[in-house]
Amino acid sequence: MDKETVISVEHVSKKYCKSLKKSMYYGAMDIGRNLLGMTSKSGRLRKDEFWALDDISFEVKRGETLGIIGPNGAGKTTLLKMLNGIFWPDKGKITIKGKVGALIELGAGFHPLLTGRENVYINAAILGMTKREVDNKFDDIIEFADIGDFIDTPVKFYSSGMFVRLGFAVAVHSKTDILLIDEVLAIGDAGFQNKCFNKIGELKQGGTTTILVSHNMHIISTFTEKIILLNDAKGISFDHVTDGIKEYARLFTKRDDSEIEMLSSGNDSIRFYRVELNKRVFKPGDSFMIMMKYQSKIDYEDVDVDITIISSYEPILYFQATNKAYGRSIDLPKGNHSFKIEINDLRLN
């Protein structure tokens, strides 16, 4: 581990048990074996156990931002919790150089009956800050959180967004060397998210190392230099972010024959009953085709067709076109018919 490497994960594995009773039994048995100076045999699976993470290895250097992506249940949060010292790996080794600050679970470290003001001091103490340090930074923390008079309200009355605001404000003002951020930031509104990522940029310039877990590929592509893709307990490292995002997209496009959701099926006079799309992954310059089948009781003349490609995670518009913009007239005669729309040389934003 060289001087610039602040996080080293070497062949790390973590297992869980599907049965609560067996999990408690295995835990008691492992503790007993350890007390007797015997190994806990954590390297093998017992009945009802499974690997949540299996043989994960990577390094992160000082000032880098690593993105961790993957489908739900892939082990992303489990990995962050091990990096934060909440869980220990069953196999392998994790080496951390520096103070770690984490925003992993909503409200973690907050006492529901205490006020926001009191929880700032408690949460900051957990992150290693002294009372004097908190006193000096308290106004900056409150200004960043922007929760107004609710700072003196018990946090059990806070919304999820207020939890995130206060938790992130404490984390980024604690002078951590390493910042761990889970998808919890997605709960905040767009304005607060922009503020958070601007702050992450400032910390990055100051040498803070960040590990970011997100399903939002726009955020991942904007803020990270490399990616770990987790799937089926395994991890694949990508030094080029675009390669990792493409592989992530392939996980959800392997079944090209899957049905497209019909958000609107028509009205009393016309019914759309099938939509076919010839591809699910788009690159600038591509061509794509949409086929729609319908049944109509009347003739529709010179209809407007509007196509948009947007992000499902936040309102980012990647492409928009109408038939009028292309100077094309579309008629939908009555009866059972279909019509096809083909876009060539796709100009993606």
Side-chain angles (χ1 to χ4, degrees):
M1 188 172 177
D2 59 55
K3 293 181 179 179
E4 287 301 308
T5 299
V6 294
I7 300 175
S8 175
V9 176
E10 304 173 65
H11 305 290
V12 163
S13 299
K14 181 65 180 177
K15 63 183 177 181
Y16 291 116
C17 185
K18 298 176 183 177
S19 167
L20 178 59
K21 288 183 179 180
K22 280 191 173 65
S23 178
M24 296 174 67
Y25 171 72
Y26 293 152
M29 186 169 63
D30 290 343
I31 292 173
R33 292 179 66 87
N34 289 333
L35 289 174
L36 295 174
M38 303 167 65
T39 62
S40 60
K41 297 183 178 180
S42 60
R44 63 179 178 84
L45 292 179
R46 295 165 288 195
K47 186 177 180 182
D48 289 333
E49 289 185 329
F50 65 96
W51 292 116
L53 292 169
D54 188 13
D55 197 22
I56 306 296
S57 297
F58 62 88
E59 289 185 345
V60 187
K61 298 187 180 297
R62 190 180 314 279
E64 283 186 337
T65 301
L66 171 70
I68 299 179
I69 61 177
N72 290 329
K76 302 184 295 297
T77 300
T78 295
L79 179 56
L80 280 196
K81 288 182 176 179
M82 286 195 292
L83 293 173
N84 198 32
I86 298 173
F87 296 152
W88 292 100
D90 291 300
K91 291 194 298 183
K93 179 182 177 183
I94 297 176
T95 305
I96 304 287
K97 292 168 62 175
K99 189 166 78 171
V100 179
L103 192 62
I104 298 177
E105 288 187 353
L106 192 61
F110 281 16
H111 193 293
L113 297 180
L114 299 180
T115 66
R117 184 184 300 272
E118 293 165 329
N119 273 291
V120 166
Y121 282 89
I122 294 174
N123 210 241
I126 293 173
L127 294 175
M129 294 178 68
T130 65
K131 183 179 182 302
R132 177 175 292 181
E133 288 177 321
V134 182
D135 288 339
N136 292 335
K137 296 183 178 180
F138 187 81
D139 290 341
D140 293 333
I141 293 172
I142 301 308
E143 182 181 358
F144 191 94
D146 192 22
I147 59 174
D149 294 337
F150 284 97
I151 190 63
D152 291 309
T153 300
V155 298
K156 70 177 182 178
F157 299 116
Y158 281 17
S159 67
S160 57
M162 292 167 69
F163 265 117
V164 170
R165 285 175 176 271
L166 195 58
F168 188 85
V170 175
V172 297
H173 285 88
S174 62
K175 281 190 176 180
T176 56
D177 301 302
I178 301 165
L179 187 60
L180 310 177
I181 304 175
D182 205 345
E183 189 67 42
V184 66
L185 274 187
I187 297 172
D189 57 47
F192 183 71
Q193 286 185 35
N194 290 336
K195 182 191 289 189
C196 291
F197 288 115
N198 286 337
K199 188 66 177 180
I200 290 173
E202 292 178 16
L203 295 174
K204 178 180 174 62
Q205 290 181 351
T208 299
T209 302
T210 305
I211 294 185
L212 177 64
V213 169
S214 181
H215 288 288
N216 189 321
M217 294 303 105
H218 175 67
I219 290 174
I220 290 292
S221 64
T222 301
F223 290 96
T224 65
E225 288 99 12
K226 56 185 182 179
I227 283 178
I228 301 293
L229 172 62
L230 297 179
N231 187 40
D232 294 331
K234 299 290 186 178
I236 306 174
S237 298
F238 294 91
D239 290 330
H240 298 287
V241 175
T242 53
D243 293 338
I245 292 176
K246 287 178 182 177
E247 188 61 30
Y248 174 81
R250 289 192 188 101
L251 297 177
F252 303 98
T253 57
K254 290 180 179 179
R255 288 191 59 194
D256 291 335
D257 59 342
S258 59
E259 289 291 330
I260 298 174
E261 183 180 6
M262 294 282 292
L263 297 181
S264 177
S265 58
N267 54 41
D268 292 339
S269 298
I270 187 169
R271 182 176 68 89
F272 295 93
Y273 58 89
R274 185 168 179 81
V275 176
E276 297 176 0
L277 190 64
N278 70 334
K279 61 172 59 182
R280 309 296 175 86
V281 178
F282 302 103
K283 302 188 299 293
D286 278 357
S287 297
F288 76 96
M289 181 271 293
I290 300 172
M291 178 80 77
M292 297 188 69
K293 295 185 178 181
Y294 70 92
Q295 183 181 51
S296 180
K297 298 177 182 178
I298 63 174
D299 292 323
Y300 283 90
E301 296 181 353
D302 196 21
V303 299
D304 291 335
V305 177
D306 189 3
I307 298 172
T308 58
I309 300 176
I310 63 172
S311 167
S312 59
Y313 299 104
E314 55 182 315
I316 297 174
L317 180 64
Y318 294 112
F319 175 78
Q320 184 171 18
T322 69
N323 57 308
K324 299 299 177 65
Y326 285 89
R328 300 295 180 87
S329 177
I330 297 178
D331 298 329
L332 302 181
K334 66 180 178 180
N336 288 299
H337 299 282
S338 64
F339 71 96
K340 181 175 72 173
I341 303 166
E342 187 170 351
I343 302 291
N344 295 311
D345 192 15
L346 183 63
R347 300 292 180 174
L348 280 178
N349 175 21

